[in-house]
Amino acid sequence: MKYFGGKIFKHLAVGIYASILCVGLAGSLSGCGDTKTAADDPNKVYTIKFAHVVSAGTPKGKAAELFAKRAEELSNGRIKVEVFPSAQLVDDDKVFQELKRNNVQMAAPSFSKFTPIVREFNLWDVPFIFRDNEHLHKVMDSEVGDILKEKIAQKGFIALDYWDAGFKQFSTSKNPIILPLDAKGQKIRIMSSKVLEEQTKAMGANPQTINFGEVYSALQTGVVDGAENPLSNLYNSKFYEVQKSITLTNHGYLGYLVVASEKFWNELPQDLKDVVMQAMREATQFEREESARDEAVLLANLEKYAKENVGKLTIYTLNDEQKKQWQEVMTAIYPKFYDLIGQDLIQKTLDTK
């Protein structure tokens, strides 16, 4: 008994301590005597679930598939991307919590979905702040775009890049909206947005916030008279069937921000982060070009429909004088957004060359 309490007990105690130490370090080491982490494993495959809400055939849907293809190629199979279009996995109203939980690794919500968490994202809704596509993309790819990405990062999401949906146009079943005051008294459907409320009021119209899935029936039954949409929505959702006119105002913009789960990103080795960014750059370039091509086709389709259905739909294009009147009315309400967005950010956008 004396011998047991001496050397044997001492060796036993050391063994127990070593076992406890091994367990305690398990969170940071793959095993005692092996300091190699999972992130260092060159054979580990990382799976990305990429969720979005539009169909696979849209510019965003095609770009997501291209990203998946290029990420796998550039990583030599170490990254596998599973794309879930048409809200098959989760819709944009719930995607942020799924990103936080890392149940979804990537998503591409519309800008409006970010405004509740980052008020500065209301910038994208400001009417006539972007001169054209070239100016828009320069804003996205310069200081203003980086500032907004950082705001998103502060909320626990990794902001990757901006994708296009397109500039918005006005449509109505009543008096054609060629000038702002033509909308006076009309009920106009908008997304939930303080900026869009002020824009609509500046036109003398009544803003009506309605979920996108209910817009067709609302237009059809007269719950609202008109709406603002990019051509993709006007055509693909067949809003043109229940509207008498479309005015190509290009007054506002609708876009997406591709974001990643912070938890997933932090677990990804640096070399694979570089791969994701390279694949994303290629997908972004493709998506923007595809969106522009898509708009040209959609406009041609709408013009064909209007020509074949005289009296059912008329498409109007603004001249320079009409555009000037729109700009004067809309820029006059910019000070209303200074507290919400920041005067400096609005000015930086306007000054971007």
Side-chain angles (χ1 to χ4, degrees):
M1 293 296 294
K2 186 175 181 181
Y3 180 66
F4 178 79
K7 291 183 178 180
I8 292 180
F9 182 80
K10 181 178 179 181
H11 289 308
L12 183 61
V14 170
I16 293 171
Y17 175 76
S19 297
I20 293 172
L21 180 62
C22 181
V23 172
L25 292 175
S28 58
L29 302 179
S30 59
C32 288
D34 179 9
T35 59
K36 188 177 183 180
T37 65
D40 294 327
D41 182 357
N43 298 314
K44 180 173 180 178
V45 175
Y46 293 83
T47 300
I48 295 174
K49 292 180 180 178
F50 190 156
H52 65 81
V53 299
V54 301
S55 70
T58 61
K60 180 164 75 168
K62 292 177 183 178
E65 293 292 347
L66 175 65
F67 168 79
K69 178 175 179 289
R70 291 298 291 140
E72 182 169 350
E73 290 173 347
L74 292 167
S75 68
N76 294 316
R78 291 180 64 198
I79 294 177
K80 300 285 187 183
V81 183
E82 300 173 357
V83 180
F84 296 87
S86 304
Q88 290 175 1
L89 192 62
V90 62
D91 64 32
D92 280 352
D93 289 328
K94 297 178 181 176
V95 77
F96 291 111
Q97 67 188 43
E98 296 307 312
L99 284 163
K100 284 285 189 182
R101 294 169 180 164
N102 200 26
N103 292 332
V104 171
Q105 287 71 48
M106 285 180 60
S110 62
F111 290 156
S112 65
K113 300 300 181 182
F114 292 93
T115 54
I117 59 175
V118 175
R119 58 186 176 83
E120 288 86 354
F121 248 66
N122 283 281
L123 173 78
W124 304 110
D125 282 338
V126 175
F128 286 100
I129 197 168
F130 304 112
R131 295 186 289 275
D132 49 33
N133 265 320
E134 183 181 3
H135 177 233
L136 166 73
H137 293 150
K138 285 182 177 179
V139 171
M140 289 176 165
D141 299 337
S142 62
E143 184 184 7
V144 172
D146 289 341
I147 289 171
L148 291 172
K149 284 181 180 178
E150 177 56 30
K151 297 284 185 184
I152 296 298
Q154 291 170 9
K155 299 299 181 178
F157 303 98
I158 305 301
L160 297 176
D161 221 337
Y162 300 101
W163 288 2
D164 284 341
F167 279 91
K168 294 182 290 186
Q169 325 299 341
F170 279 116
S171 67
T172 182
S173 59
K174 288 194 172 179
N175 188 43
I177 304 174
I178 299 172
L179 295 175
L181 292 183
D182 290 334
K184 187 174 182 179
Q186 295 195 43
K187 295 172 290 185
I188 304 295
R189 181 266 171 179
I190 61 169
M191 296 183 294
S192 179
S193 165
K194 295 292 184 184
V195 172
L196 297 182
E197 284 183 23
E198 292 296 338
Q199 165 196 283
T200 309
K201 290 175 182 177
M203 299 160 59
N206 301 315
Q208 306 288 318
T209 303
I210 297 175
N211 291 332
F212 185 77
E214 301 171 10
V215 173
Y216 185 94
S217 61
L219 292 169
Q220 185 180 41
T221 59
V223 171
V224 292
D225 304 309
E228 55 164 19
N229 282 287
L231 293 178
S232 57
N233 288 352
L234 277 162
Y235 187 78
N236 294 324
S237 296
K238 298 186 177 182
F239 294 157
Y240 63 90
E241 294 180 345
V242 288
Q243 297 282 262
K244 291 183 178 178
S245 68
I246 297 171
T247 306
L248 303 178
T249 51
N250 290 323
H251 63 279
Y253 173 75
L254 194 64
Y256 314 105
L257 176 64
V258 185
V259 289
S261 160
E262 185 179 54
K263 186 176 187 298
F264 167 77
W265 192 256
N266 289 341
E267 294 172 352
L268 200 63
Q270 185 57 52
D271 63 325
L272 294 186
K273 288 178 182 176
D274 294 340
V275 164
V276 169
M277 294 309 297
Q278 176 60 33
M280 182 55 56
R281 282 190 291 271
E282 294 180 24
T284 296
Q285 183 64 30
F286 169 83
E287 199 277 343
R288 292 177 181 179
E289 292 172 356
E290 186 68 13
S291 183
R293 286 191 292 266
D294 195 52
E295 278 214 328
V297 171
L298 294 174
L299 179 57
N301 289 343
L302 286 167
E303 289 174 337
K304 180 182 178 182
Y305 175 85
K307 186 176 180 180
E308 294 175 350
N309 296 271
V310 177
K312 290 190 68 175
L313 179 71
T314 304
I315 299 174
Y316 297 91
T317 302
L318 301 180
N319 60 37
D320 290 342
E321 180 57 36
Q322 290 166 338
K323 288 179 184 176
K324 185 178 178 181
Q325 289 189 48
W326 275 99
Q327 290 165 344
E328 288 174 352
V329 170
M330 294 306 170
T331 55
I333 62 176
Y334 283 11
K336 293 178 179 288
F337 313 138
Y338 289 166
D339 289 340
L340 180 66
I341 300 168
Q343 183 176 358
D344 183 58
L345 201 59
I346 290 175
Q347 196 59 51
K348 283 180 185 293
T349 301
L350 294 169
D351 292 342
T352 298
K353 303 297 184 185

